[in-house]
Amino acid sequence: MTGQAAASRPLRSRRTGALAGRVRVPGDKSISHRAFLFGGLASGRTRVTGLLEGEDVLATGRAMRQMGARIEREGETWIVDGVGNGALLEPEGVLDFGNAGTGARLAMGLVGVYDFTATFIGDASLSRRPMGRVLEPLREMGVQVLARSKDRLPLSIRGPRVAAPIEYRVPMASAQVKSAVLLAGLNTPGTTTLIEPIPTRDHTERMLQGFGARLEVETDRAGGRTIRLQGQGELTGVADFVVPGDPSSAAFLVVAALVVPGSDVVIENALMNPTRTGLIETLREMGGAIEAVNPRLSGGEEVADLHVKHSALRGVAVPPERAPSMIDEYPVLAVAAAFAEGDTLMQGLEELRVKESDRLAAVAAGLAANGVAHEEGEDWLRVSGRPDGSGIGGGTVETHLDHRIAMSFLVMGLASEKPVAVDDARMIATSFPDFEALVARLGGALDAAAR
């Protein structure tokens, strides 16, 4: 048995009956990363509550500590004392981001334009993921990159004496690329301009404005955005920053409630930012009973409690332009589609090829292992469902160290005729440490599977 196999933690889910109850999902992962990054860069103190304390986010916090920020946990609150814009310190050791692709890519933008060298490393999964689309605009700003394998970790970056502001048109729908360029612009003289033809999640723009950055956003008739950031301005800590619940985490419980017969679940404090609600829109089109109740603002973001009941789903065609608003949710949407009447077609999925795994291939393989009819294309997936779950399940899914693959197929097992196993559940802690406990609280059954 290899070391990897010996250390793995196989997990199995099985059908036990209706799910019921009220739960609160952890803080949004994207916003939690940015809370450490922006709070660590700002002058003064930022108090953060609701932070996702998963391994990915904590890796970002450790990196900011290495560059001078003071970050401490006091009860349920994280206290972040920042260094001030332009005052990051050269890290003495390597910056180890583990599995945190968001943290690594955003930090490359943040530190890339500083006149020092920073070395980025990660785990086996992160080391396979391409960084070139973030590094390309940084190179235009004068950043030098040294990598053992082309634009993959481990790599070192060194900024110029004075970075050059750029006007950059993002060639793909990527909030990470957009954010990396804007973060680089914070320590660059003049105006950094970013053109985003297809709008993506806008947490970076909202939060930068909340921390005092001089940033303007123009939206054209087609929905595209032009963002202008004035560099080398002051950022100020936020006295009370509240992180809303992560919609990508809520997605697993939403789908579980929809597909397990008799279920009636309330998921509290879910982020309802319009750039993040593509899955909810799609599931409603499929016939899902999802009601957003008690809408309110939290940390400058729209949130609500989601009341979800078991529903008879039907297949739909998901338009490719919706992909940016639900890119992380396609694996669990494929699970929902497995229990829908007819075919569900998902398009515009090329981004899934460069996630923690080749997520599109991993989803297709998991469907095949559990008897779900499907077709996979280069950037699309068609799933043929069975509403009663008959003939579904019985397989073991290779997760490829991808937390969303693991959680998605564990959701499948809660409604399928036969149990579903995943080969390793350890990486779930990177984004949703309480996943197993919350599923159990709602009445779902998860237990150890044979290696």
Side-chain angles (χ1 to χ4, degrees):
M1 182 178 291
T2 66
Q4 173 64 30
S8 66
R9 187 169 70 88
L11 197 63
R12 182 184 66 168
S13 59
R14 52 190 170 83
R15 181 194 290 179
T16 57
L19 305 178
R22 299 179 69 94
V23 293
R24 179 174 290 242
V25 297
D28 182 73
K29 187 178 179 183
S30 296
I31 293 175
S32 294
H33 278 297
R34 288 161 173 81
F36 274 157
L37 290 166
F38 300 166
L41 187 66
S43 299
R45 174 166 288 186
T46 298
R47 298 173 60 87
V48 184
T49 55
L51 186 94
L52 169 64
E53 297 181 6
E55 294 173 9
D56 283 11
V57 173
L58 297 180
T60 296
R62 287 192 296 270
M64 292 306 293
R65 278 198 192 106
Q66 287 177 255
M67 293 183 286
R70 293 182 58 191
I71 302 176
E72 303 294 340
R73 191 179 192 272
E74 295 184 1
E76 299 300 312
T77 301
W78 286 85
I79 309 299
V80 184
D81 291 310
V83 298
N85 188 25
L88 290 175
L89 304 178
E90 182 171 4
E92 291 185 3
V94 298
L95 301 177
D96 186 351
F97 281 89
N99 190 244
T102 297
R105 291 189 176 108
L106 268 58
M108 286 178 187
L110 183 65
V111 308
V113 294
Y114 279 75
D115 186 15
F116 60 60
T117 298
T119 299
F120 291 71
I121 67 171
D123 66 9
S125 173
L126 186 58
S127 297
R128 290 193 295 267
R129 297 166 65 184
M131 300 290 160
R133 55 187 181 170
V134 167
L135 296 173
E136 178 185 343
L138 296 181
R139 287 185 172 107
E140 292 185 23
M141 302 175 85
V143 178
Q144 296 179 323
V145 181
L146 178 63
R148 183 180 304 167
S149 176
K150 181 171 175 58
D151 289 346
R152 283 178 166 79
L153 302 187
L155 60 80
S156 296
I157 58 178
R158 181 172 185 88
R161 289 191 176 276
V162 180
I166 61 172
E167 179 177 302
Y168 188 72
R169 184 179 182 90
V170 184
M172 78 293 289
S174 172
Q176 291 182 0
V177 174
K178 170 179 67 177
S179 299
V181 173
L182 292 175
L183 292 180
L186 289 173
N187 193 40
T188 300
T191 302
T192 295
T193 302
L194 186 132
I195 301 168
E196 185 181 47
I198 301 174
T200 61
R201 58 183 65 177
D202 61 355
H203 307 307
T204 295
E205 300 97 292
R206 289 177 183 239
M207 290 179 66
L208 281 177
Q209 289 173 325
F211 279 86
R214 294 174 292 172
L215 181 146
E216 297 177 353
V217 181
E218 293 181 6
T219 304
D220 61 28
R221 292 181 179 178
R225 299 192 187 117
T226 298
I227 306 166
R228 296 181 180 86
L229 174 70
Q230 298 298 316
Q232 300 184 329
E234 183 178 2
L235 300 183
T236 305
V238 177
D240 184 18
F241 189 91
V242 181
V243 181
D246 190 340
S248 297
S249 296
F252 301 106
L253 304 182
V254 168
V255 170
L258 289 175
V259 300
V260 176
S263 295
D264 189 337
V265 170
V266 175
I267 301 155
E268 300 176 342
N269 198 45
L271 176 67
M272 297 298 288
N273 182 306
T275 66
R276 300 287 299 279
T277 54
L279 177 69
I280 300 298
E281 182 180 356
T282 300
L283 291 172
R284 284 172 171 163
E285 289 176 357
M286 296 174 73
I290 306 171
E291 182 184 4
V293 297
N294 189 21
R296 57 202 182 274
L297 290 177
S298 176
E301 294 276 6
E302 301 167 42
V303 301
D305 303 329
L306 298 177
H307 186 191
V308 189
K309 297 181 179 180
H310 171 251
S311 305
L313 302 179
R314 58 183 177 274
V316 298
V318 188
E321 57 268 20
R322 193 175 294 167
S325 67
M326 56 181 294
I327 195 63
D328 287 329
E329 285 78 64
Y330 280 106
V332 78
L333 175 61
V335 169
F339 297 94
E341 182 72 40
D343 289 356
T344 298
L345 174 63
M346 294 160 257
Q347 306 168 79
L349 308 186
E350 60 272 7
E351 176 80 3
L352 295 185
R353 298 287 187 189
V354 293
K355 288 290 186 178
E356 281 83 338
S357 61
D358 179 340
R359 209 170 256 173
L360 183 51
V363 169
L367 295 172
N370 288 284
V372 179
H374 67 282
E375 295 178 76
E376 175 195 358
E378 183 60 31
D379 63 352
W380 58 270
L381 180 69
R382 186 191 308 274
V383 179
S384 301
R386 296 178 191 167
D388 61 357
S390 62
I392 298 178
T396 297
V397 176
E398 292 187 40
T399 61
H400 302 280
L401 299 175
D402 190 321
H403 52 125
R404 300 200 193 281
I405 297 298
M407 288 184 280
S408 296
F409 283 96
L410 289 172
V411 167
M412 174 180 280
L414 298 175
S416 55
E417 181 180 25
K418 293 169 282 188
V420 173
V422 299
D423 65 352
D424 197 349
R426 291 172 302 157
M427 78 295 296
I428 290 174
T430 65
S431 69
F432 199 164
D434 296 331
F435 172 74
E436 294 172 49
L438 293 186
V439 169
R441 187 185 307 173
L442 294 173
L446 301 175
D447 49 51
R451 294 184 186 276

